[in-house]
Amino acid sequence: MHYKPIQCHLYDYIEVACLRHYKLLIKLLNGEELTGLAQTIHIINKEEYLEINVAGVHQKIRLDKIKNITTLDDDAEFKTIEIS
């Protein structure tokens, strides 16, 4: 599947989540849900990925596969962002 970059303003929220290592609930377009700590963003072959720590295992999620992201931290700077 061809990579479709997300909107720039949404990318900023993901960067904040990584900087603060927020605990996230990530809902994917295929219906799968993941909960983990935001780590960093990677660019691999011109595709952007969010790396999260799920119970000690680091996973990379392609940004255009994400439906929405909800922060689970009470003091987070945002609550839910809709990606796709």
Side-chain angles (χ1 to χ4, degrees), residues 18-47:
C18 291
L19 287 171
R20 308 259 192 277
H21 296 289
Y22 287 154
K23 185 173 184 180
L24 304 176
L25 170 61
I26 300 170
K27 294 183 182 179
L28 302 179
L29 294 174
N30 68 5
E32 185 179 353
E33 294 185 1
L34 300 166
T35 301
L37 298 176
Q39 299 298 301
T40 190
I41 297 172
H42 296 278
I43 299 174
I44 303 169
N45 297 325
K46 299 182 183 178
E47 298 174 348

Side-chain angles (χ1 to χ4, degrees), residues 6 12-13 21 25 28 31 36 41 43 47 52 58-59 61 63 69 72 75-76 79 81-82:
I6 67 169
D12 293 341
Y13 287 105
H21 296 289
L25 170 61
L28 302 179
I41 297 172
I43 299 174
E47 298 174 348
I52 62 171
H58 288 249
Q59 295 186 8
I61 305 163
L63 296 187
I69 297 173
L72 301 177
D75 60 345
K79 188 63 179 166
I81 57 170
E82 296 292 330

Side-chain angles (χ1 to χ4, degrees), residues 5-12 82-83:
I6 67 169
Q7 296 177 5
C8 290
H9 75 281
L10 297 173
Y11 193 86
D12 293 341
E82 296 292 330
I83 304 289

